[in-house]
Amino acid sequence: MIELETGQVQEQGDEQAEAAARVVQEAQPDVLVVNELTNNLQEGEHTDTTNIDAFVENYLSVPQRDDLDGIDYEHTYQPTSNTGVLPDEDYDFNKDGEAGARPGDAFGFGEFPGHYAFAVASKYPIVESEIRTFQTFKWADMPDNLIPVKGEEGVVTDPEGDGTALYLTEEELDVYRLSSKTHVDVPFRVKGGTVHGLFAHPTPPGFDGANNFNGKWNHDEVRFFADYVAGEEYIYDDSGEHGGLDDDASYVLMGDMNAGPGRGRDARPLQPAQKFFVDNDDFNTDRLPTSPGGFQYGLPTGTRSGGDVEGVVELIDYVLPSPDLSLRDSSVVWPSEATTEDGLLEDVDEASDHRLVWADIATNPGKKGK
């Protein structure tokens, strides 16, 4: 996750964007997902060039150090996001007494449409006609969901003391969307066949009070792709097509899931990452990537330092292939503080509180139809 806005990428010279590009150029990924990159088409700013194309042109394609190569991503995709998007009617989703106000009453937290969105850049062709988006999928349409609903046993609507008890009313259930940004399946044409890139950025747990609303929301957002790769029929996309992935599909889940096994905010009781990733045979988590920086701070697989949980290192960012794909190597770009070579640690810190996770994944032609 980088968190870049329109003004930072549409022109050259932004220090954070330069640092982020330098980190990416260290890894030279064939497919890149950039979390928290404003969707300027939704925002209504610089609509002649998408922010992902501007980031590629102004930063990623320009060598950020003499011994680094720029990356010319020929294929990009910037899906629309639920962040900052208000329903057609006014609802008081955040229960502050004012309906229809951003950011709290939008489908996803955002000061404007497209805030905190994400985008994908690829050297491989994207099969645009086969992209599936799930932006409008209703949370209530997920069987056995964890939505706190007003009137149900245990749901607090008038808490005592500090905090807001977030919940949905029966009327809000009819419109509330599962994805806080969007969930997308982007097929890439690679040597030997097609690999589906699965991208999302679930809401962070916390900031929600007595009903653990955001924790339950995060749980179900993470669960969605586990159900999707399992082929669950309840799922429908924005075009109305039902069902998940075919049994013979190859896929890689990528991005900041805001959930991880067993530490910091990840030690909360719902444990979606443990259930839906680590303990799920549909994802290869046998060898999670590590870094010297993670070792230094006590969690070799850590991908985030600090942020809203001060002093805590977390594993919440992933590149998880399907079992049929060969994982040849992986790592997290996070040098230790003892490393002074070329100032990479300074650029890692400048780019984001998240660390770039990469994996070298080989497709297996002929296996599972790929």
Side-chain angles (χ1 to χ4, degrees):
M1 185 175 73
I2 296 177
E3 192 172 346
L4 293 172
E5 297 189 0
T6 300
Q8 295 179 268
V9 298
Q10 288 288 333
E11 297 180 359
Q12 294 183 341
D14 183 83
E15 292 183 1
Q16 184 190 4
E18 290 174 346
R22 188 266 171 98
V23 173
V24 174
Q25 289 171 3
E26 289 281 347
Q28 292 285 316
D30 292 328
V31 177
L32 172 71
V33 57
V34 184
N35 286 108
E36 297 206 1
L37 176 67
T38 293
N39 185 326
N40 58 304
L41 301 185
Q42 285 185 268
E43 182 190 17
E45 298 289 337
H46 295 274
T47 54
D48 53 331
T49 304
T50 65
N51 278 345
I52 185 60
D53 286 334
F55 185 43
V56 170
E57 179 180 352
N58 293 329
Y59 294 96
L60 292 174
S61 65
V62 179
Q64 297 298 320
R65 199 178 65 213
D66 290 342
D67 61 337
L68 290 175
D69 294 325
I71 311 173
D72 292 314
Y73 290 110
E74 295 184 22
H75 312 279
T76 60
Y77 176 61
Q78 188 154 347
T80 57
S81 175
N82 280 327
T83 46
V85 175
L86 295 169
D88 292 336
E89 298 181 24
D90 290 343
Y91 294 92
D92 186 15
F93 290 146
N94 67 349
K95 306 302 181 286
D96 67 351
E98 182 181 0
R102 298 186 182 96
D105 295 329
F107 288 121
F109 189 91
E111 299 288 347
F112 51 83
H115 200 192
Y116 304 123
F118 64 82
V120 178
S122 174
K123 295 180 181 179
Y124 297 118
I126 294 172
V127 189
E128 295 186 5
S129 63
E130 297 179 13
I131 292 174
R132 297 185 70 188
T133 64
F134 305 91
Q135 182 183 358
T136 61
F137 179 87
K138 303 291 195 314
W139 189 1
D141 289 338
M142 171 180 277
D144 301 317
N145 63 71
L146 300 185
I147 306 172
V149 181
K150 183 178 182 180
E152 290 187 351
E153 183 178 356
V155 174
V156 178
T157 58
D158 188 19
E160 296 180 2
D162 296 332
T164 299
L166 300 180
Y167 57 88
L168 296 183
T169 65
E170 291 290 342
E171 292 77 16
E172 291 166 345
L173 279 178
D174 292 336
V175 300
Y176 204 88
R177 298 176 179 179
L178 172 68
S179 187
S180 55
K181 285 80 178 176
T182 188
H183 287 62
V184 295
D185 170 358
V186 181
F188 299 95
R189 292 291 186 206
V190 302
K191 183 178 180 180
T194 300
V195 173
H196 296 257
L198 307 181
F199 305 100
H201 185 191
T203 196
F207 317 108
D208 57 2
N211 292 324
N212 191 22
F213 185 94
N214 289 336
K216 294 174 180 177
W217 191 7
N218 173 274
H219 174 280
D220 285 354
E221 283 200 81
V222 172
R223 173 191 156 189
F224 181 87
F225 271 144
D227 288 351
Y228 184 67
V229 302
E232 293 291 344
E233 284 299 319
Y234 77 82
I235 292 171
Y236 57 85
D237 61 29
D238 293 333
S239 69
E241 179 182 350
H242 277 72
L245 271 179
D246 293 337
D247 290 341
D248 63 352
S250 298
Y251 50 87
V252 181
L253 181 144
M254 298 173 60
D256 171 11
M257 297 293 116
N258 274 315
R263 182 170 173 144
R265 67 178 170 188
D266 310 320
R268 296 168 190 248
L270 293 178
Q271 287 285 302
Q274 186 71 40
K275 288 188 289 188
F276 301 123
F277 297 154
V278 177
D279 296 337
N280 186 352
D281 291 339
D282 287 335
F283 293 104
N284 183 351
T285 57
D286 291 340
R287 190 181 66 201
L288 293 171
T290 62
S291 71
F295 273 103
Q296 179 179 346
Y297 287 99
L299 185 63
T301 57
T303 64
R304 188 194 191 208
S305 176
D308 53 275
V309 186
E310 185 176 355
V312 172
V313 175
E314 304 171 290
L315 163 58
I316 57 177
D317 306 88
Y318 300 89
V319 180
L320 301 179
S322 54
D324 64 298
L325 299 179
S326 300
L327 178 61
R328 297 189 292 203
D329 196 9
S330 63
S331 186
V332 180
V333 182
W334 188 1
S336 72
E337 292 183 0
T339 302
T340 58
E341 181 181 357
D342 299 323
L344 177 58
L345 180 58
E346 287 79 3
D347 283 319
V348 166
D349 288 336
E350 174 69 24
S352 175
D353 58 334
H354 292 248
R355 307 311 187 217
L356 179 69
V357 181
W358 63 265
D360 183 5
I361 298 168
T363 58
N364 299 321
K367 186 175 182 180
K368 292 179 66 176
K370 304 300 172 191

